[in-house]
Amino acid sequence: MADGNPVRPQDLLRVTVLRPADLAGSTVLEVSGEVDLHSASVLDDAISGALADDPALLIIDLTAVTFLASIGITALINARRTASFGTSVRVVTPDRSVVARALELTGLREVLAVVPLRADAFSR
């Protein structure tokens, strides 16, 4: 912002939507960057878009997230809460990561079905 150009939310956070052909009905959101007050709308929009397709399984992969503010945790809780009855939502974050620590401190690891590896999310 020093040069007068404002930082856009999508500059802080990227979400890539994957729909694995071999796992029909599954959607993976690969999230990278920082989830804070400024960028949380990017995550919210991606989650809403994915849930609109009513997948059987929604995996939110936070492996490449370097910061997770409380508003990001709220987005994850809302994903679980707004998912249709037939949609399972799972969150991926490596053990001992910043994100895993935040979810552990809030007592949400079980509620959000957190697993350390993406492969675990498919098999849980």
Side-chain angles (χ1 to χ4, degrees):
M1 184 124 112
D3 62 2
N5 293 323
V7 175
R8 300 172 310 154
Q10 55 271 37
D11 294 335
L12 298 173
L13 188 71
R14 286 211 182 315
V15 180
T16 303
V17 180
L18 304 171
R19 292 183 177 86
D22 57 334
L23 297 162
S26 297
T27 299
V28 177
L29 300 180
E30 281 185 342
V31 186
S32 62
E34 300 175 4
V35 184
D36 62 14
L37 185 60
H38 191 63
S39 65
S41 62
V42 175
L43 179 58
D44 275 331
D45 292 347
I47 290 170
S48 294
L51 289 175
D53 292 337
D54 202 25
L57 176 61
L58 173 61
I59 296 172
I60 304 170
D61 189 339
L62 305 177
T63 300
V65 169
T66 57
F67 179 76
L68 182 68
S70 60
I71 194 164
I73 294 171
T74 300
L76 298 174
I77 292 168
N78 287 338
R80 178 126 159 67
R81 187 178 318 167
T82 59
S84 70
F85 182 72
T87 299
S88 294
V89 177
R90 301 202 181 112
V91 175
V92 177
T93 187
D95 292 335
R96 296 188 174 94
S97 69
V98 175
V99 173
R101 180 79 174 139
L103 297 177
E104 185 72 38
L105 289 172
T106 56
L108 293 171
R109 284 186 64 90
E110 291 301 316
V111 172
L112 294 174
V114 176
V115 295
L117 301 170
R118 189 182 300 179
D120 297 335
F122 288 109
S123 63
R124 184 171 183 201

